[in-house]
């Protein structure tokens, strides 16, 4: 099945935690047009560290590095484990799901890419080994969705979040 990743926007981490408490940490509801839930994008296998980081690096025309997309943990809402990691498999930090808040620099990079650069940027993104030879034309709609989400988040003064589940 692979790793499930959903990106969404929210006013702040407290709003995200409140929503996740209602779902027991499950996938946050996305807006179905009724105004309930978060504005989001399903992006299976697009983890924030590497795959989204490669898109951000391509936009910036720089080499990917581990800190290209800064993140701050939001969920689980319990304190993170110490340096030895979770002590048992039932610990939510071991089992997930996890939610991280992406840094505003990543949001603003995604939101600021000019539309005319998208084909070039996505062609570069498609070269990432994680895509295993995917065609850029297949990735363009996903990139457009992520960029559109970032633009809406920036316009609303909101942050971007990633929900990750194994």
């Amino acid at each position: 099945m692979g790793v499930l990743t959903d990106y969404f926007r929210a006013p702040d981490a407290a709003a995200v935690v409140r929503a996740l408490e209602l779902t027991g940490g499950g996938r946050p509801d996305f807006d179905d047009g009724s105004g309930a839930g978060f504005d989001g994008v399903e992006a299976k296998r697009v983890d924030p560290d590497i795959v989204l980081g490669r898109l951000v690096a391509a936009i910036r025309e720089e080499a990917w590095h581990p800190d290209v997309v800064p993140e701050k943990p939001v969920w689980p809402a319990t304190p993170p484990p110490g340096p030895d990691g979770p002590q048992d498999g039932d610990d939510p930090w071991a089992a997930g799901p996890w939610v991280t808040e992406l840094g505003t620099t990543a949001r603003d990079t995604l939101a600021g890419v000019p539309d005319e650069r998208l084909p070039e940027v996505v062609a570069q993104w498609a070269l990432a080994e994680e895509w295993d030879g995917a065609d850029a034309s297949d990735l363009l709609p996903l990139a457009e969705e992520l960029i559109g989400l970032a633009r809406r988040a920036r316009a609303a003064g909101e942050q971007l979040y990633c929900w990750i589940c194994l």
Side-chain angles (χ1 to χ4, degrees), residues 111-133:
V113 64
D115 290 339
E116 62 271 7
R117 282 199 59 223
L118 282 181
E120 158 214 336
V121 166
V122 174
Q124 182 67 35
W125 190 38
L127 298 175
E129 66 185 71
E130 293 79 13
W131 288 123
D132 194 30

Side-chain angles (χ1 to χ4, degrees), residues 80-92:
D84 295 331
Q87 296 304 308
D88 78 48
D90 291 337
D91 186 314

Side-chain angles (χ1 to χ4, degrees), residues 43-68:
K44 185 177 179 180
R45 296 181 17 212
V46 179
D47 69 284
D49 297 326
I50 298 172
V51 181
L52 185 71
R54 292 193 189 281
L55 176 59
V56 170
I59 292 168
R60 293 181 185 161
E61 299 182 59
E62 66 182 39
W64 174 86
H65 54 87
D67 298 321
V68 76

Side-chain angles (χ1 to χ4, degrees), residues 142-153:
L142 175 58
E144 290 172 333
E145 284 187 80
L146 291 166
I147 289 164
L149 178 66
R151 288 174 177 168
R152 294 187 300 276

